[in-house]
Each structure stands twice: as C-alpha cells, then as structure tokens.
Amino acid sequence: RRRTELMQERGAARVLKEELVNLGAELSRERAKVEGLTVATLEALVCVVEARDSWFVGHSLRVAQHAASIAAELRRSDEEVESVRRAGLLHDVGMIVVPEGIMAKQGQLTPEEYDQIKRHVVVGSEILAPLPHLGPVGAFVRGHHERWDGRGYPDALAGEAIPWGARLIAVAEVYDALTTARPYREQLTPEMAVEKMH
C-alpha cells in the first residue's frame, strides 16, 4: 500500500511539473504577444507623427535600417542590432507633442519653437520608460541628439558618455536627412552625404 501511495505521489508530482512547464511556456508566449503589440502600437504612433508632414514619411524606418546596418557592420550582437533597430523606429515617437505647425514650418524656427522640438527626446524616453522589455531603447531615444562635443541635448553628454545606440541613430538620422529631399534643399547622393558628414 505504501509503495502504491508513493507511486501515486510521484505521478502527481510529475503531472504538476509538466503542468507548470506548460503554463510557463504559455505565459512566455502571451508575454511575447503583449510586447509585440506594445511595439506595434508605438510604431503606429510614429506613423501618425510622420503623416503630419509629407517630408517626414518613412524617416524612422530608414533611420532604423541604417542604424541596424551600421551596428551589424560594427559586429554588434544580434540582440544589440535589434535594440538599435527598434530605437531607430521609435526615435521620434516623442514628436507627438510637437504642434503640427512647427513640424511643417518653412524657414527658421524661433527659439521657443526649437525648444518644443527639443522636448521630443525626453518625451520619447518617458513614453518608453514603463516598458522594460525594450531594454536600452529608451536611452538610445533620449540620447540621439547628443553631440560628441557635448553641445547636444537634452543632457549635454559628450563622447563615450553618449549611449552607443544613440550615436548610431544620430549618424543614421543625419545621413537620412542629407539623402532625402527637403523643402529647403535637394537630396544629396550617398557619396556626397558621407563626404559632407566628415
């Protein structure tokens, strides 16, 4: 009788372990779905921002592709390449707070208008902050307008203090701006853009 009871207990324990493994796998799948939906929602928000200005359409996707290509060329891990790609896609999500008139303005911005534009990096990082599954993406978004010489914004970081992904996004963004036609200038060839960036 004792042997039968032990076998039943072991069988029940095995069934419980299997059930826990199955529930863990199901939870992981559901978490991945939620994380995917979160990123998709944010990407849709970026599309809304870009749709407000015809010159801006496709900018985030191009920046994401360029930044990911640079990261891969630098032999970053697959996870790091994906992080910088995501950050490239989401780097301007904070532009949602910039009034449409400022985004589409032809000519010089006033200092107040420029301050409103500069807010987008802080707002973007705040939007991403509650999403721990995005890892360093928020820091890359916050730092993508920092400058090597420390004269960027919002934190006046310089050199290596700027997160590596933010530096890649900054380069990709400048390259995209130079190789895309704008109301105030013609697009440059890729070779001319690279030369101008030196």
Side-chain angles (χ1 to χ4, degrees):
R1 192 171 48 97
R2 179 68 184 136
R3 183 175 176 278
T4 302
E5 287 173 359
L6 278 172
M7 291 186 67
Q8 287 173 344
E9 285 174 13
R10 286 182 187 152
R14 188 180 69 251
V15 168
L16 282 173
K17 282 181 186 177
E18 288 172 4
E19 189 61 28
L20 280 174
V21 167
N22 291 337
L23 286 173
E26 186 176 332
L27 180 61
S28 293
R29 284 191 299 273
E30 290 302 315
R31 182 177 291 135
K33 280 185 196 174
V34 169
E35 290 172 359
L37 285 172
T38 303
V39 171
T41 302
L42 291 170
E43 289 174 8
L45 188 58
V46 169
C47 289
V48 169
V49 169
E50 290 184 353
R52 293 164 52 196
D53 181 354
S54 63
W55 298 98
F56 205 44
V57 174
H59 168 71
S60 294
L61 179 59
R62 291 188 304 270
V63 168
Q65 291 169 337
H66 295 319
S69 293
I70 296 167
E73 191 69 28
L74 293 173
R75 296 193 184 347
R76 291 286 183 163
S77 70
D78 290 347
E79 186 176 302
E80 290 172 321
V81 171
E82 180 57 19
S83 288
V84 83
R85 187 192 69 77
R86 276 198 174 158
L89 281 171
L90 302 174
H91 77 281
D92 279 339
V93 69
M95 292 290 270
I96 196 76
V97 300
V98 177
E100 194 170 331
I102 293 175
M103 281 184 64
K105 183 176 179 180
Q106 306 258 339
Q108 191 86 15
L109 295 174
T110 67
E112 295 78 22
E113 290 169 335
Y114 186 55
D115 285 342
Q116 287 187 353
I117 293 278
K118 291 191 322 187
R119 281 187 54 225
H120 84 278
V121 294
V122 174
V123 171
S125 66
E126 289 171 350
I127 289 170
L128 300 172
L131 306 171
H133 67 277
L134 291 180
V137 170
F140 295 170
V141 167
R142 183 179 178 95
H144 79 273
H145 279 290
E146 298 290 356
R147 289 181 36 179
W148 192 256
D149 62 8
R151 295 188 312 173
Y153 60 88
D155 303 311
L157 300 177
E160 298 286 330
I162 303 167
W164 70 270
R167 296 191 308 256
L168 294 191
I169 292 167
V171 168
E173 188 164 46
V174 170
Y175 179 81
D176 182 65
L178 293 172
T179 57
T180 306
R182 298 293 162 109
Y184 48 87
R185 64 154 180 74
E186 293 292 317
Q187 71 187 62
L188 300 178
T189 66
E191 297 77 22
M192 290 170 62
V194 169
E195 187 176 313
K196 189 171 182 79
M197 290 169 68
H198 282 237

